[in-house]
Amino acid sequence: MQIKQILAEALVGEEITVKGWVRTKRVQPNVIFININDGSVIHNIQAVAEPGVIDEDTLKLITTGSCVAVSGTLIESKGSGQRVELQVKTAQVYGTADPEKYPLQPKKHSLEFLREIAHLRPRTNTFSAILRIRHSLAFAIHQYFNDNGFFYLHTPIITGSDAEGAGEMFHVTTLDPKNPPLNEDGSVNYKEDFFGKETNLTVSGQLEGELGAMALSKVYTFGPTFRAENSNTARHLAEFWMIEPEVAFYELEDNMRLAEDFTKYVINYALENCADDLAFLENRLKDEEKTKKAEERSELALVEKLRFVVDNEYVKLTYTEAIQILLSSKRHKEGKFQYPVQWGIDLQSEHERYLVEKHFKKPVILTNYPKDIKAFYMKLDEDGKTVRAMDVLFPGIGEIIGGSQREDNYEKLLQRTKDVGIHEDTIWWYLETRQFGTAPHSGFGIGFERLVMFVTGMTNIRDVIPFPRTPKSAEF
């Protein structure tokens, strides 16, 4: 029986067995206290043993980090801090943990240190809470789309196209790196490679998702994506997970409604189902905030920030309107923005957060961005200068969703590929869907780790994925 179930049902008087890892052991003259956690819930269960019940040789092996099975009777707790506790009758040690070597002793550890022992950090309260919330969010995502008529589409991880046109991709090859076959001009002859062409790990499942939407109407992807961007920042990973819905017959306005409804649903699911973990992380965040300068502290507590999203209607405005607001702001006039504001820029996080946190005090959806700062597949507006793009902005982080109505006109899409330097031979199949039964369609992408960061309050993306992949780091 898991500790979560035991604590929830509190079946006083029942004989139970608890299996888990020891967090602490405290030996007093008349009683022994052992706190055990099995990862099912943030709370420990306290096992209480009278002297002599556990033989001395076994008791010596029960140390912080050891794995044990303890059996006995569930009784009402005599102490504070827990409703019930386990009166021990027998104890067994599955695996020991040498106190001289086990790195997770009962004290505060820095997040930097815990990243070095990612194989053990899920045993801490912080990371077990993050991983449980990560699971709940993933479940909520699948449940939302299933309940709203979407089909889960598995798009390829190995691809011959660059969905974003970014060029920062991991190559997939079986060719000998020391002696690859060459063409007459000295370039690598990828016709001799496994797939007969140059291939990479995908940066997005969107293009293939659009193909699915052109047959099934509503699809979504939820899978790993890869970006060979040499960015060692708190917001970048080389391997991360993306959720990307694509919907036939949706225009930009429909896409905005979907993004708002979706984000509110999954965040509300976490509020309703992860209350204990969120309360723990909120207290952790409050302690962390005390070490920051006043101007760097968040104005909202963690749960308050989540409720801010769930309880407010998102403000919708165009990129051009947002630029005017920023140019008219006191912060701009006093030169307090780090990055200058002008029409045509790719908005920085400080600009996005100003709109959300200072100006509107609500989540924001910006639309109709300049075409030159957006991807080739976004539908051109009638002015020929902007595209039917949308970004969803949240407090604390800025952009959390990027999406658009997709260009469904063959000639316009072909011209855009030429403008950005994408050879049509590499995406002929994508272009062809605009010739055979084309239709208005829209979609968006949301980085799963970015969502987990927002919900947990963590500030480094390396701390919301079990085993982060970053430049010069592929441990575990």
Side-chain angles (χ1 to χ4, degrees):
M1 186 180 289
Q2 288 187 306
I3 292 174
K4 180 178 181 179
Q5 183 182 356
I6 294 168
L7 295 179
E9 297 179 5
L11 303 174
V12 174
E14 288 208 6
E15 298 293 310
I16 61 170
T17 297
V18 172
K19 298 177 181 179
W21 293 267
V22 174
R23 290 293 175 86
T24 61
K25 181 184 75 173
R26 185 161 46 98
V27 179
Q28 295 186 349
N30 298 319
V31 66
I32 300 160
F33 297 101
I34 305 168
N35 277 310
I36 303 168
N37 189 281
D38 65 1
S40 63
V41 67
I42 198 162
H43 305 296
N44 304 325
I45 191 166
Q46 180 172 271
V48 181
E50 295 178 358
V53 170
I54 304 174
D55 66 81
E56 285 299 317
D57 289 339
T58 301
L59 190 59
K60 288 178 183 178
L61 300 177
I62 298 176
T63 59
T64 297
S66 62
C67 186
V68 299
V70 179
S71 300
T73 307
L74 195 66
I75 62 173
E76 292 184 2
S77 179
K78 298 175 183 177
S80 60
Q82 63 277 325
R83 285 190 301 155
V84 293
E85 58 191 22
L86 182 62
Q87 187 72 50
V88 177
K89 293 183 177 178
T90 63
Q92 176 186 357
V93 177
Y94 286 135
T96 60
D98 186 343
E100 298 299 317
K101 297 179 180 179
Y102 184 60
L104 292 177
Q105 294 300 315
K107 63 178 182 179
K108 188 172 183 179
H109 301 283
S110 71
L111 295 175
E112 291 79 7
F113 169 72
L114 293 175
R115 285 179 211 131
E116 297 173 3
I117 54 167
H119 59 306
L120 295 173
R121 69 178 183 172
R123 299 190 196 180
T124 65
N125 281 337
T126 297
F127 284 94
S128 64
I130 291 168
L131 292 177
R132 282 187 294 269
I133 291 172
R134 184 181 170 104
H135 158 79
S136 292
L137 289 170
F139 178 83
I141 288 164
H142 285 297
Q143 183 167 274
Y144 175 85
F145 285 124
N146 181 73
D147 291 350
N148 284 278
F150 285 73
F151 298 101
Y152 182 24
L153 190 71
H154 296 109
T155 53
I157 291 173
I158 298 173
T159 178
S161 68
D162 178 357
E164 299 291 337
E168 298 166 334
M169 304 179 77
F170 290 102
H171 291 297
V172 176
T173 181
T174 58
L175 297 178
D176 183 351
K178 295 181 180 178
N179 188 30
L182 302 176
N183 296 310
E184 290 183 3
D185 63 359
S187 61
V188 175
N189 181 8
Y190 284 104
K191 290 182 180 179
E192 299 296 319
D193 207 348
F194 184 90
F195 292 107
K197 62 186 294 187
E198 188 174 1
T199 54
N200 309 286
L201 295 179
T202 186
V203 299
S204 169
Q206 179 204 312
L207 301 192
E208 293 86 356
E210 287 187 50
L211 311 185
M214 289 294 99
L216 301 174
S217 292
K218 288 184 171 184
V219 302
Y220 73 103
T221 74
F222 189 171
T225 50
F226 307 86
R227 190 69 61 90
E229 185 177 355
N230 192 18
S231 297
N232 240 324
T233 76
R235 294 163 64 95
H236 289 89
L237 289 170
E239 176 185 281
F240 52 99
W241 289 70
M242 285 285 290
I243 303 103
E244 297 173 293
E246 290 292 331
V247 193
F249 317 116
Y250 266 32
E251 300 197 17
L252 182 62
E253 293 72 21
D254 306 300
N255 207 28
M256 287 191 285
R257 282 193 291 270
L258 175 65
E260 180 170 354
D261 192 55
F262 165 76
T263 47
K264 286 183 174 181
Y265 178 92
V266 296
I267 292 171
N268 191 59
Y269 184 92
L271 285 167
E272 291 181 350
N273 293 276
C274 307
D276 289 346
D277 287 326
L278 288 173
F280 171 82
L281 291 173
E282 179 170 90
N283 288 330
R284 178 200 164 277
L285 192 59
K286 286 177 180 176
D287 290 340
E288 189 179 80
E289 292 275 289
K290 293 175 184 176
T291 65
K292 296 180 180 179
K293 297 177 182 177
E295 62 271 19
E296 295 176 354
R297 294 174 187 169
S298 174
E299 294 183 10
L300 301 173
L302 179 58
V303 172
E304 188 181 7
K305 182 181 70 173
L306 302 183
R307 293 242 63 97
F308 176 92
V309 170
V310 171
D311 295 339
N312 280 302
E313 183 178 350
Y314 296 8
V315 176
K316 287 93 174 173
L317 71 157
T318 67
Y319 167 92
T320 300
E321 290 169 333
I323 290 293
Q324 289 303 317
I325 289 170
L326 293 170
L327 288 173
S328 301
S329 69
K330 184 178 178 182
R331 182 169 296 186
H332 169 73
K333 291 176 180 177
E334 293 178 352
K336 292 185 178 179
F337 282 127
Q338 181 181 352
Y339 296 93
V341 178
Q342 63 182 33
W343 197 94
I345 65 165
D346 199 355
L347 293 177
Q348 300 295 318
S349 179
E350 63 172 338
H351 305 139
E352 296 167 339
R353 291 185 61 184
Y354 175 84
L355 293 169
V356 174
E357 299 168 25
K358 303 298 183 183
H359 187 80
F360 290 109
K361 298 187 185 298
K362 291 182 179 181
V364 170
I365 303 181
L366 291 187
T367 64
N368 305 92
Y369 282 75
K371 69 176 183 179
D372 293 337
I373 61 172
K374 288 298 182 180
F376 76 97
Y377 48 73
M378 297 185 178
K379 187 171 182 65
L380 275 171
D381 285 317
E382 291 183 3
D383 63 10
K385 298 178 181 179
T386 59
V387 289
R388 304 214 81 200
M390 68 164 207
D391 285 350
V392 180
L393 315 180
F394 274 9
I397 60 170
E399 180 195 340
I400 193 165
I401 282 179
S404 72
Q405 184 173 340
R406 314 312 189 185
E407 182 59 76
D408 54 278
N409 181 285
Y410 174 77
E411 296 298 336
K412 290 182 179 179
L413 183 61
L414 179 61
Q415 185 58 50
R416 283 290 289 150
T417 63
K418 293 176 180 178
D419 291 345
V420 299
I422 297 175
H423 200 285
E424 61 187 275
D425 287 350
T426 64
I427 56 168
W428 63 268
W429 42 270
Y430 182 72
L431 293 167
E432 197 170 89
T433 58
R434 274 66 176 177
Q435 294 178 305
F436 302 143
T438 189
H441 60 288
S442 301
F444 60 78
I446 176 170
F448 186 48
E449 282 71 31
R450 188 71 65 88
L451 175 64
V452 179
M453 282 178 71
F454 179 76
V455 173
T456 60
M458 301 303 290
T459 55
N460 195 312
I461 200 166
R462 294 171 175 85
D463 297 328
V464 296
I465 192 169
F467 307 105
R469 298 291 179 251
T470 56
K472 304 294 186 291
S473 178
E475 295 298 321
F476 313 103

